[in-house]
Amino acid sequence: MNILARFNKKYTIDINNCWVWHASKLKNGYALFTDQNGKTVTGHRWSYQQFIGPIPNGLVVDHICRNPSCVNPNHLQAISQSNNIKRSLLVKVRSARTHCKHGHEFTPENTKYIKGQRGRRCATCAYISKLNSKRNKNLS
């Protein structure tokens, strides 16, 4: 079996389009994968290098989705370690919130993660915004 096929057998795709790793992991949830050279590496770094390209010098691979078990290259971004730390602190504050600024609860059904953007979005607010946009177009 080629390496990509072996990699693809080790995750499933969840509701947020995370590729959730179900094979070996570190205690903190990061995927472990044995690469083509027999070396054990973290799955998110391997995925980034396989699907996006080399990790630029001085940068780390961050999970935009905030799920350490995710290996979806669309959820990964190369950033500086200082930005990674800042994001983590900001996420801890934001993820402690149980409701959006308009009072809608963050439930699995009412939470959206948008490709290329950090954090979560309220699905109810996104729906209302979309309706308002359509209404404004019809009034023009």
Side-chain angles (χ1 to χ4, degrees):
M1 176 182 318
N2 75 32
I3 189 133
L4 189 54
R6 190 166 53 81
F7 180 84
N8 288 336
K9 290 183 87 164
K10 297 182 183 289
Y11 66 82
T12 56
I13 301 173
D14 74 5
I15 189 170
N16 297 314
N17 208 28
C18 285
W19 297 1
V20 182
W21 196 257
H22 294 290
S24 296
K25 296 182 199 176
L26 294 169
K27 286 183 182 179
N28 57 9
Y30 288 91
L32 289 175
F33 183 63
T34 304
D35 69 11
Q36 55 276 15
N37 301 317
K39 181 180 176 189
T40 301
V41 296
T42 54
H44 69 291
R45 288 178 59 87
W46 188 89
S47 180
Y48 185 95
Q49 292 170 322
Q50 180 71 30
F51 299 106
I52 296 173
I55 301 167
N57 287 336
L59 300 185
V60 297
V61 178
D62 183 40
H63 291 86
I64 296 168
C65 60
R66 312 316 307 165
N67 180 353
S69 296
C70 180
V71 295
N72 182 341
N74 294 317
H75 291 192
L76 304 173
Q77 185 176 42
I79 63 172
S80 70
Q81 180 61 24
S82 62
N83 280 337
N84 193 23
I85 291 168
K86 288 174 190 171
R87 280 185 182 178
S88 294
L89 295 174
L90 182 61
V91 165
K92 284 179 184 174
V93 170
R94 286 185 175 163
S95 65
R97 295 180 187 153
T98 58
H99 292 74
C100 77
K101 65 182 180 180
H102 298 289
H104 307 119
E105 187 176 8
F106 282 120
T107 63
E109 300 78 25
N110 192 45
T111 305
K112 292 179 70 170
Y113 295 90
I114 300 169
K115 180 181 174 182
Q117 293 186 10
R118 294 180 313 206
R120 58 189 174 170
R121 303 286 183 264
C122 171
T124 301
C125 289
Y127 178 73
I128 291 169
S129 177
K130 189 174 181 179
L131 286 178
N132 287 336
S133 228
K134 285 182 180 179
R135 189 176 304 131
N136 289 339
K137 282 183 183 178
N138 289 338
L139 293 175
S140 297

